[in-house]
Amino acid sequence: MRTKLGYEDKLVEINGGEVLVFAGKLYTAPLEEVVKYYLSGSGVLPSAIRDVSHDVIRLLLRTGELETIIHSKVQYGESLSD
């Protein structure tokens, strides 16, 4: 999946398994970490990415990608809460 979200002060791109935020500087994080942060409320993410995590999850829910991410973790016995 490759998509972009536009804001007045930043640009967000989801490219494969990575989330990129350009807000004067470039911030990156694995998509899996963004999902972990959203589900558990904790994690080590730059604040620029934490600020858009809800919008990223809403996009993943609308496209059905979130189910795919969670299903693959369950199928292979990996935990999203680690």
Short mmCIF file of all heavy atoms in Angstrom, two decimals, residues 3-69:
data_model
loop_
_atom_site.label_atom_id
_atom_site.label_comp_id
_atom_site.label_asym_id
_atom_site.label_seq_id
_atom_site.Cartn_x
_atom_site.Cartn_y
_atom_site.Cartn_z
N THR A 3 0.21 5.42 0.01
CA THR A 3 -0.76 6.52 0.01
C THR A 3 -0.19 7.71 0.78
O THR A 3 0.77 7.56 1.53
CB THR A 3 -2.10 6.06 0.61
OG1 THR A 3 -3.07 7.05 0.39
CG2 THR A 3 -1.99 5.78 2.08
N LYS A 4 -0.80 8.85 0.55
CA LYS A 4 -0.35 10.07 1.22
C LYS A 4 -1.53 10.75 1.90
O LYS A 4 -2.65 10.69 1.41
CB LYS A 4 0.26 11.04 0.23
CG LYS A 4 1.54 10.53 -0.38
CD LYS A 4 2.11 11.52 -1.36
CE LYS A 4 3.38 10.94 -1.99
NZ LYS A 4 3.97 11.83 -2.96
N LEU A 5 -1.25 11.38 3.02
CA LEU A 5 -2.22 12.19 3.74
C LEU A 5 -1.65 13.59 3.82
O LEU A 5 -0.48 13.76 4.15
CB LEU A 5 -2.45 11.65 5.16
CG LEU A 5 -2.96 10.22 5.29
CD1 LEU A 5 -2.91 9.78 6.75
CD2 LEU A 5 -4.37 10.12 4.75
N GLY A 6 -2.46 14.58 3.52
CA GLY A 6 -1.98 15.95 3.55
C GLY A 6 -2.56 16.73 4.72
O GLY A 6 -3.74 16.61 5.04
N TYR A 7 -1.74 17.50 5.34
CA TYR A 7 -2.13 18.39 6.43
C TYR A 7 -1.61 19.78 6.07
O TYR A 7 -0.78 19.93 5.18
CB TYR A 7 -1.49 17.94 7.75
CG TYR A 7 -1.93 16.58 8.23
CD1 TYR A 7 -1.32 15.42 7.75
CD2 TYR A 7 -2.96 16.45 9.14
CE1 TYR A 7 -1.71 14.18 8.18
CE2 TYR A 7 -3.36 15.21 9.58
CZ TYR A 7 -2.73 14.08 9.10
OH TYR A 7 -3.13 12.84 9.53
N GLU A 8 -2.06 20.78 6.79
CA GLU A 8 -1.57 22.14 6.53
C GLU A 8 -0.08 22.28 6.81
O GLU A 8 0.61 23.01 6.12
CB GLU A 8 -2.35 23.15 7.39
CG GLU A 8 -3.76 23.36 6.93
CD GLU A 8 -4.46 24.42 7.75
OE1 GLU A 8 -3.77 25.25 8.38
OE2 GLU A 8 -5.69 24.41 7.76
N ASP A 9 0.40 21.58 7.83
CA ASP A 9 1.78 21.77 8.26
C ASP A 9 2.68 20.56 8.06
O ASP A 9 3.84 20.58 8.46
CB ASP A 9 1.80 22.17 9.72
CG ASP A 9 1.14 21.14 10.63
OD1 ASP A 9 0.38 20.30 10.11
OD2 ASP A 9 1.37 21.18 11.84
N LYS A 10 2.17 19.48 7.47
CA LYS A 10 3.00 18.29 7.28
C LYS A 10 2.43 17.40 6.18
O LYS A 10 1.27 17.54 5.79
CB LYS A 10 3.15 17.51 8.57
CG LYS A 10 1.85 16.99 9.13
CD LYS A 10 2.08 16.36 10.48
CE LYS A 10 0.90 16.63 11.37
NZ LYS A 10 1.18 17.31 12.57
N LEU A 11 3.25 16.49 5.71
CA LEU A 11 2.86 15.50 4.72
C LEU A 11 3.14 14.13 5.31
O LEU A 11 4.22 13.90 5.87
CB LEU A 11 3.65 15.68 3.42
CG LEU A 11 3.40 14.67 2.33
CD1 LEU A 11 1.97 14.80 1.80
CD2 LEU A 11 4.39 14.84 1.20
N VAL A 12 2.17 13.23 5.20
CA VAL A 12 2.31 11.88 5.73
C VAL A 12 2.22 10.91 4.56
O VAL A 12 1.33 11.02 3.72
CB VAL A 12 1.20 11.56 6.75
CG1 VAL A 12 1.32 10.13 7.26
CG2 VAL A 12 1.23 12.55 7.90
N GLU A 13 3.15 9.97 4.52
CA GLU A 13 3.13 8.94 3.48
C GLU A 13 3.24 7.58 4.12
O GLU A 13 4.05 7.37 5.03
CB GLU A 13 4.28 9.13 2.49
CG GLU A 13 4.25 8.13 1.36
CD GLU A 13 5.31 8.38 0.31
OE1 GLU A 13 5.79 9.53 0.19
OE2 GLU A 13 5.65 7.43 -0.39
N ILE A 14 2.39 6.67 3.67
CA ILE A 14 2.48 5.27 4.09
C ILE A 14 2.97 4.53 2.86
O ILE A 14 2.32 4.53 1.82
CB ILE A 14 1.12 4.72 4.54
CG1 ILE A 14 0.57 5.57 5.68
CG2 ILE A 14 1.24 3.26 4.96
CD1 ILE A 14 -0.88 5.31 5.99
N ASN A 15 4.14 3.95 2.98
CA ASN A 15 4.77 3.28 1.84
C ASN A 15 5.18 1.89 2.28
O ASN A 15 6.17 1.71 2.98
CB ASN A 15 5.98 4.09 1.37
CG ASN A 15 6.54 3.56 0.06
OD1 ASN A 15 6.05 2.60 -0.48
ND2 ASN A 15 7.58 4.22 -0.41
N GLY A 16 4.39 0.91 1.87
CA GLY A 16 4.67 -0.46 2.28
C GLY A 16 4.53 -0.60 3.78
O GLY A 16 3.48 -0.33 4.35
N GLY A 17 5.57 -0.97 4.44
CA GLY A 17 5.55 -1.16 5.89
C GLY A 17 6.15 -0.01 6.66
O GLY A 17 6.61 -0.20 7.78
N GLU A 18 6.15 1.19 6.07
CA GLU A 18 6.79 2.32 6.72
C GLU A 18 5.89 3.55 6.67
O GLU A 18 5.20 3.78 5.69
CB GLU A 18 8.11 2.63 6.00
CG GLU A 18 8.97 3.64 6.69
CD GLU A 18 10.34 3.73 6.05
OE1 GLU A 18 10.44 3.63 4.82
OE2 GLU A 18 11.30 3.92 6.80
N VAL A 19 5.92 4.32 7.74
CA VAL A 19 5.20 5.59 7.80
C VAL A 19 6.25 6.70 7.81
O VAL A 19 7.19 6.67 8.61
CB VAL A 19 4.33 5.69 9.08
CG1 VAL A 19 3.65 7.05 9.18
CG2 VAL A 19 3.29 4.58 9.10
N LEU A 20 6.09 7.65 6.89
CA LEU A 20 7.00 8.79 6.78
C LEU A 20 6.22 10.06 7.02
O LEU A 20 5.14 10.23 6.46
CB LEU A 20 7.64 8.84 5.40
CG LEU A 20 8.46 7.62 5.00
CD1 LEU A 20 7.62 6.73 4.11
CD2 LEU A 20 9.70 8.05 4.30
N VAL A 21 6.75 10.94 7.85
CA VAL A 21 6.13 12.23 8.12
C VAL A 21 7.17 13.31 7.84
O VAL A 21 8.27 13.27 8.41
CB VAL A 21 5.63 12.34 9.58
CG1 VAL A 21 5.10 13.73 9.86
CG2 VAL A 21 4.57 11.29 9.86
N PHE A 22 6.82 14.24 6.97
CA PHE A 22 7.69 15.39 6.73
C PHE A 22 7.02 16.60 7.34
O PHE A 22 5.98 17.05 6.88
CB PHE A 22 7.95 15.61 5.25
CG PHE A 22 8.87 16.76 5.02
CD1 PHE A 22 10.23 16.63 5.26
CD2 PHE A 22 8.40 17.98 4.60
CE1 PHE A 22 11.10 17.69 5.09
CE2 PHE A 22 9.25 19.06 4.42
CZ PHE A 22 10.61 18.91 4.65
N ALA A 23 7.62 17.10 8.41
CA ALA A 23 7.12 18.28 9.11
C ALA A 23 8.33 19.17 9.41
O ALA A 23 8.72 19.33 10.56
CB ALA A 23 6.38 17.90 10.38
N GLY A 24 8.94 19.68 8.35
CA GLY A 24 10.17 20.44 8.50
C GLY A 24 11.38 19.53 8.54
O GLY A 24 12.45 19.88 8.07
N LYS A 25 11.22 18.35 9.10
CA LYS A 25 12.22 17.28 9.12
C LYS A 25 11.50 16.00 8.73
O LYS A 25 10.28 15.91 8.80
CB LYS A 25 12.80 17.12 10.53
CG LYS A 25 13.66 18.29 10.96
CD LYS A 25 14.06 18.24 12.43
CE LYS A 25 14.69 16.98 12.88
NZ LYS A 25 15.15 17.01 14.29
N LEU A 26 12.26 15.01 8.33
CA LEU A 26 11.68 13.73 7.96
C LEU A 26 11.74 12.79 9.16
O LEU A 26 12.79 12.58 9.76
CB LEU A 26 12.44 13.12 6.78
CG LEU A 26 11.93 11.76 6.30
CD1 LEU A 26 10.50 11.88 5.78
CD2 LEU A 26 12.84 11.21 5.21
N TYR A 27 10.58 12.23 9.51
CA TYR A 27 10.47 11.25 10.58
C TYR A 27 9.95 9.95 9.97
O TYR A 27 9.04 9.98 9.14
CB TYR A 27 9.48 11.72 11.65
CG TYR A 27 9.85 13.03 12.27
CD1 TYR A 27 9.36 14.23 11.76
CD2 TYR A 27 10.70 13.09 13.37
CE1 TYR A 27 9.70 15.45 12.33
CE2 TYR A 27 11.04 14.30 13.95
CZ TYR A 27 10.54 15.48 13.41
OH TYR A 27 10.87 16.68 13.97
N THR A 28 10.51 8.83 10.37
CA THR A 28 10.05 7.54 9.86
C THR A 28 9.84 6.57 11.01
O THR A 28 10.47 6.67 12.06
CB THR A 28 11.07 6.92 8.87
OG1 THR A 28 12.28 6.64 9.56
CG2 THR A 28 11.33 7.85 7.70
N ALA A 29 8.95 5.62 10.77
CA ALA A 29 8.71 4.55 11.73
C ALA A 29 8.09 3.37 10.98
O ALA A 29 7.35 3.57 10.01
CB ALA A 29 7.77 5.01 12.84
N PRO A 30 8.37 2.17 11.43
CA PRO A 30 7.71 1.01 10.83
C PRO A 30 6.20 1.08 11.09
O PRO A 30 5.76 1.48 12.18
CB PRO A 30 8.31 -0.19 11.56
CG PRO A 30 9.57 0.33 12.19
CD PRO A 30 9.34 1.78 12.45
N LEU A 31 5.42 0.71 10.11
CA LEU A 31 3.97 0.72 10.23
C LEU A 31 3.52 -0.15 11.40
O LEU A 31 2.60 0.21 12.13
CB LEU A 31 3.32 0.25 8.93
CG LEU A 31 1.80 0.24 8.87
CD1 LEU A 31 1.23 1.62 9.17
CD2 LEU A 31 1.34 -0.24 7.51
N GLU A 32 4.20 -1.25 11.61
CA GLU A 32 3.86 -2.14 12.72
C GLU A 32 3.99 -1.43 14.06
O GLU A 32 3.18 -1.63 14.97
CB GLU A 32 4.79 -3.35 12.68
CG GLU A 32 4.53 -4.36 13.77
CD GLU A 32 5.48 -5.54 13.68
OE1 GLU A 32 5.75 -6.02 12.57
OE2 GLU A 32 5.93 -5.96 14.75
N GLU A 33 4.99 -0.57 14.20
CA GLU A 33 5.17 0.18 15.45
C GLU A 33 4.05 1.19 15.66
O GLU A 33 3.63 1.44 16.79
CB GLU A 33 6.52 0.88 15.47
CG GLU A 33 7.71 -0.05 15.61
CD GLU A 33 7.69 -0.84 16.92
OE1 GLU A 33 7.39 -0.24 17.98
OE2 GLU A 33 7.95 -2.04 16.86
N VAL A 34 3.58 1.78 14.57
CA VAL A 34 2.46 2.73 14.66
C VAL A 34 1.20 1.99 15.13
O VAL A 34 0.46 2.49 15.97
CB VAL A 34 2.24 3.46 13.32
CG1 VAL A 34 1.02 4.36 13.39
CG2 VAL A 34 3.48 4.25 12.93
N VAL A 35 0.99 0.80 14.60
CA VAL A 35 -0.16 -0.01 15.02
C VAL A 35 -0.02 -0.40 16.49
O VAL A 35 -0.98 -0.29 17.25
CB VAL A 35 -0.31 -1.27 14.13
CG1 VAL A 35 -1.38 -2.21 14.68
CG2 VAL A 35 -0.63 -0.87 12.69
N LYS A 36 1.17 -0.81 16.89
CA LYS A 36 1.41 -1.15 18.31
C LYS A 36 1.11 0.05 19.21
O LYS A 36 0.48 -0.09 20.25
CB LYS A 36 2.86 -1.58 18.53
CG LYS A 36 3.19 -2.96 18.13
CD LYS A 36 4.63 -3.23 18.50
CE LYS A 36 5.15 -4.51 17.94
NZ LYS A 36 6.56 -4.74 18.30
N TYR A 37 1.59 1.22 18.80
CA TYR A 37 1.36 2.42 19.60
C TYR A 37 -0.13 2.70 19.72
O TYR A 37 -0.63 3.01 20.80
CB TYR A 37 2.07 3.63 18.97
CG TYR A 37 1.72 4.92 19.66
CD1 TYR A 37 2.28 5.25 20.89
CD2 TYR A 37 0.79 5.79 19.10
CE1 TYR A 37 1.94 6.42 21.53
CE2 TYR A 37 0.44 6.97 19.75
CZ TYR A 37 1.02 7.27 20.96
OH TYR A 37 0.66 8.43 21.60
N TYR A 38 -0.85 2.58 18.63
CA TYR A 38 -2.29 2.85 18.66
C TYR A 38 -3.01 1.85 19.57
O TYR A 38 -3.89 2.24 20.33
CB TYR A 38 -2.85 2.79 17.25
CG TYR A 38 -4.33 3.06 17.21
CD1 TYR A 38 -4.81 4.35 17.30
CD2 TYR A 38 -5.24 2.03 17.12
CE1 TYR A 38 -6.17 4.62 17.29
CE2 TYR A 38 -6.60 2.27 17.10
CZ TYR A 38 -7.05 3.56 17.18
OH TYR A 38 -8.41 3.81 17.18
N LEU A 39 -2.64 0.58 19.49
CA LEU A 39 -3.33 -0.45 20.27
C LEU A 39 -2.97 -0.41 21.75
O LEU A 39 -3.83 -0.63 22.60
CB LEU A 39 -3.02 -1.84 19.70
CG LEU A 39 -3.58 -2.13 18.31
CD1 LEU A 39 -3.09 -3.48 17.83
CD2 LEU A 39 -5.09 -2.08 18.31
N SER A 40 -1.72 -0.13 22.07
CA SER A 40 -1.30 -0.21 23.46
C SER A 40 -1.10 1.15 24.13
O SER A 40 -1.04 1.24 25.35
CB SER A 40 0.01 -0.99 23.57
OG SER A 40 1.07 -0.27 22.97
N GLY A 41 -0.95 2.21 23.33
CA GLY A 41 -0.74 3.53 23.90
C GLY A 41 0.68 3.79 24.33
O GLY A 41 0.98 4.82 24.91
N SER A 42 1.56 2.84 24.06
CA SER A 42 2.96 3.05 24.42
C SER A 42 3.84 2.63 23.27
O SER A 42 3.43 1.87 22.39
CB SER A 42 3.32 2.24 25.68
OG SER A 42 3.18 0.87 25.41
N GLY A 43 5.02 3.13 23.29
CA GLY A 43 5.97 2.79 22.23
C GLY A 43 6.90 3.97 21.99
O GLY A 43 6.65 5.08 22.44
N VAL A 44 7.97 3.69 21.30
CA VAL A 44 8.96 4.73 21.02
C VAL A 44 8.75 5.21 19.59
O VAL A 44 9.17 4.56 18.64
CB VAL A 44 10.39 4.18 21.20
CG1 VAL A 44 11.41 5.27 20.92
CG2 VAL A 44 10.57 3.62 22.60
N LEU A 45 8.02 6.31 19.47
CA LEU A 45 7.76 6.93 18.18
C LEU A 45 8.03 8.41 18.29
O LEU A 45 7.77 9.01 19.33
CB LEU A 45 6.29 6.74 17.76
CG LEU A 45 5.81 5.36 17.38
CD1 LEU A 45 4.31 5.39 17.10
CD2 LEU A 45 6.54 4.84 16.17
N PRO A 46 8.53 9.01 17.21
CA PRO A 46 8.65 10.47 17.23
C PRO A 46 7.28 11.11 17.42
O PRO A 46 6.26 10.58 16.96
CB PRO A 46 9.22 10.79 15.85
CG PRO A 46 9.79 9.51 15.33
CD PRO A 46 9.01 8.42 15.98
N SER A 47 7.24 12.23 18.08
CA SER A 47 5.95 12.87 18.36
C SER A 47 5.20 13.23 17.07
O SER A 47 3.97 13.18 17.04
CB SER A 47 6.15 14.12 19.22
OG SER A 47 6.92 15.07 18.54
N ALA A 48 5.91 13.54 16.00
CA ALA A 48 5.26 13.86 14.73
C ALA A 48 4.47 12.66 14.21
O ALA A 48 3.41 12.82 13.60
CB ALA A 48 6.29 14.31 13.70
N ILE A 49 4.96 11.47 14.45
CA ILE A 49 4.26 10.27 14.00
C ILE A 49 3.15 9.91 14.98
O ILE A 49 2.06 9.50 14.57
CB ILE A 49 5.24 9.11 13.78
CG1 ILE A 49 6.18 9.47 12.61
CG2 ILE A 49 4.50 7.80 13.51
CD1 ILE A 49 7.20 8.44 12.26
N ARG A 50 3.39 10.07 16.28
CA ARG A 50 2.32 9.83 17.26
C ARG A 50 1.11 10.71 16.98
O ARG A 50 -0.02 10.27 17.11
CB ARG A 50 2.83 10.09 18.68
CG ARG A 50 3.71 9.01 19.23
CD ARG A 50 3.89 9.14 20.73
NE ARG A 50 4.30 10.48 21.13
CZ ARG A 50 5.53 10.83 21.44
NH1 ARG A 50 6.50 9.94 21.42
NH2 ARG A 50 5.81 12.07 21.81
N ASP A 51 1.36 11.95 16.57
CA ASP A 51 0.27 12.89 16.31
C ASP A 51 -0.65 12.45 15.17
O ASP A 51 -1.82 12.82 15.15
CB ASP A 51 0.83 14.28 15.99
CG ASP A 51 1.51 14.92 17.19
OD1 ASP A 51 1.31 14.45 18.33
OD2 ASP A 51 2.25 15.90 16.98
N VAL A 52 -0.13 11.69 14.22
CA VAL A 52 -0.95 11.27 13.07
C VAL A 52 -1.35 9.80 13.14
O VAL A 52 -1.99 9.30 12.21
CB VAL A 52 -0.22 11.56 11.73
CG1 VAL A 52 0.05 13.04 11.58
CG2 VAL A 52 1.05 10.74 11.61
N SER A 53 -1.00 9.12 14.22
CA SER A 53 -1.27 7.68 14.30
C SER A 53 -2.75 7.35 14.18
O SER A 53 -3.12 6.36 13.54
CB SER A 53 -0.70 7.09 15.59
OG SER A 53 -1.34 7.63 16.72
N HIS A 54 -3.63 8.17 14.75
CA HIS A 54 -5.07 7.91 14.66
C HIS A 54 -5.54 7.98 13.21
O HIS A 54 -6.35 7.17 12.76
CB HIS A 54 -5.85 8.90 15.52
CG HIS A 54 -5.72 8.63 16.98
ND1 HIS A 54 -4.65 9.08 17.72
CD2 HIS A 54 -6.51 7.94 17.84
CE1 HIS A 54 -4.78 8.69 18.97
NE2 HIS A 54 -5.90 8.00 19.07
N ASP A 55 -5.04 8.95 12.46
CA ASP A 55 -5.43 9.08 11.06
C ASP A 55 -4.89 7.92 10.23
O ASP A 55 -5.56 7.44 9.31
CB ASP A 55 -4.95 10.41 10.48
CG ASP A 55 -5.65 11.59 11.11
OD1 ASP A 55 -6.79 11.42 11.60
OD2 ASP A 55 -5.06 12.69 11.12
N VAL A 56 -3.69 7.47 10.54
CA VAL A 56 -3.11 6.32 9.84
C VAL A 56 -3.96 5.08 10.09
O VAL A 56 -4.30 4.34 9.16
CB VAL A 56 -1.64 6.09 10.27
CG1 VAL A 56 -1.12 4.76 9.73
CG2 VAL A 56 -0.76 7.24 9.81
N ILE A 57 -4.36 4.87 11.32
CA ILE A 57 -5.18 3.70 11.66
C ILE A 57 -6.55 3.80 10.99
O ILE A 57 -7.06 2.80 10.46
CB ILE A 57 -5.33 3.54 13.19
CG1 ILE A 57 -3.97 3.29 13.83
CG2 ILE A 57 -6.32 2.44 13.54
CD1 ILE A 57 -3.24 2.05 13.35
N ARG A 58 -7.15 4.99 10.98
CA ARG A 58 -8.45 5.15 10.30
C ARG A 58 -8.33 4.80 8.82
O ARG A 58 -9.22 4.16 8.25
CB ARG A 58 -8.96 6.57 10.46
CG ARG A 58 -9.55 6.81 11.82
CD ARG A 58 -10.19 8.14 12.03
NE ARG A 58 -10.42 8.93 10.83
CZ ARG A 58 -10.48 10.24 10.80
NH1 ARG A 58 -10.31 10.92 11.91
NH2 ARG A 58 -10.72 10.89 9.69
N LEU A 59 -7.24 5.21 8.18
CA LEU A 59 -7.02 4.88 6.78
C LEU A 59 -6.87 3.37 6.60
O LEU A 59 -7.45 2.79 5.69
CB LEU A 59 -5.78 5.60 6.25
CG LEU A 59 -5.41 5.26 4.82
CD1 LEU A 59 -6.45 5.80 3.85
CD2 LEU A 59 -4.04 5.80 4.48
N LEU A 60 -6.10 2.74 7.48
CA LEU A 60 -5.91 1.29 7.41
C LEU A 60 -7.23 0.55 7.61
O LEU A 60 -7.48 -0.48 6.97
CB LEU A 60 -4.89 0.82 8.44
CG LEU A 60 -3.45 1.30 8.22
CD1 LEU A 60 -2.58 0.87 9.40
CD2 LEU A 60 -2.89 0.78 6.92
N LEU A 61 -8.07 1.04 8.49
CA LEU A 61 -9.38 0.42 8.71
C LEU A 61 -10.26 0.54 7.47
O LEU A 61 -10.93 -0.41 7.09
CB LEU A 61 -10.08 1.05 9.91
CG LEU A 61 -9.56 0.63 11.28
CD1 LEU A 61 -10.14 1.53 12.37
CD2 LEU A 61 -9.88 -0.82 11.55
N ARG A 62 -10.25 1.73 6.86
CA ARG A 62 -11.08 1.95 5.67
C ARG A 62 -10.66 1.07 4.51
O ARG A 62 -11.50 0.63 3.73
CB ARG A 62 -11.04 3.41 5.24
CG ARG A 62 -12.19 4.20 5.79
CD ARG A 62 -12.27 5.56 5.16
NE ARG A 62 -11.22 6.39 5.76
CZ ARG A 62 -10.54 7.31 5.14
NH1 ARG A 62 -10.77 7.58 3.89
NH2 ARG A 62 -9.61 8.00 5.76
N THR A 63 -9.36 0.84 4.36
CA THR A 63 -8.86 0.07 3.23
C THR A 63 -8.80 -1.43 3.52
O THR A 63 -8.55 -2.22 2.61
CB THR A 63 -7.47 0.55 2.80
OG1 THR A 63 -6.56 0.36 3.90
CG2 THR A 63 -7.49 1.99 2.38
N GLY A 64 -8.98 -1.82 4.78
CA GLY A 64 -8.90 -3.23 5.14
C GLY A 64 -7.47 -3.69 5.42
O GLY A 64 -7.25 -4.86 5.72
N GLU A 65 -6.50 -2.80 5.33
CA GLU A 65 -5.10 -3.16 5.54
C GLU A 65 -4.80 -3.51 7.00
O GLU A 65 -3.93 -4.32 7.27
CB GLU A 65 -4.18 -2.03 5.09
CG GLU A 65 -4.17 -1.81 3.60
CD GLU A 65 -3.50 -2.93 2.84
OE1 GLU A 65 -2.48 -3.47 3.31
OE2 GLU A 65 -4.01 -3.28 1.76
N LEU A 66 -5.50 -2.90 7.94
CA LEU A 66 -5.25 -3.18 9.35
C LEU A 66 -5.55 -4.65 9.65
O LEU A 66 -4.79 -5.31 10.35
CB LEU A 66 -6.06 -2.27 10.26
CG LEU A 66 -5.80 -2.42 11.75
CD1 LEU A 66 -4.34 -2.10 12.07
CD2 LEU A 66 -6.71 -1.54 12.56
N GLU A 67 -6.63 -5.15 9.10
CA GLU A 67 -6.97 -6.56 9.30
C GLU A 67 -5.87 -7.46 8.74
O GLU A 67 -5.51 -8.47 9.35
CB GLU A 67 -8.30 -6.87 8.61
CG GLU A 67 -8.77 -8.28 8.82
CD GLU A 67 -10.11 -8.53 8.18
OE1 GLU A 67 -10.95 -7.62 8.15
OE2 GLU A 67 -10.32 -9.65 7.71
N THR A 68 -5.32 -7.10 7.61
CA THR A 68 -4.24 -7.87 7.00
C THR A 68 -3.01 -7.88 7.89
O THR A 68 -2.38 -8.93 8.08
CB THR A 68 -3.87 -7.29 5.62
OG1 THR A 68 -5.04 -7.27 4.80
CG2 THR A 68 -2.78 -8.10 4.95
N ILE A 69 -2.66 -6.73 8.46
CA ILE A 69 -1.49 -6.64 9.33
C ILE A 69 -1.68 -7.50 10.57
O ILE A 69 -0.81 -8.28 10.94
CB ILE A 69 -1.23 -5.17 9.73
CG1 ILE A 69 -0.78 -4.37 8.51
CG2 ILE A 69 -0.19 -5.08 10.84
CD1 ILE A 69 -0.77 -2.87 8.73
#
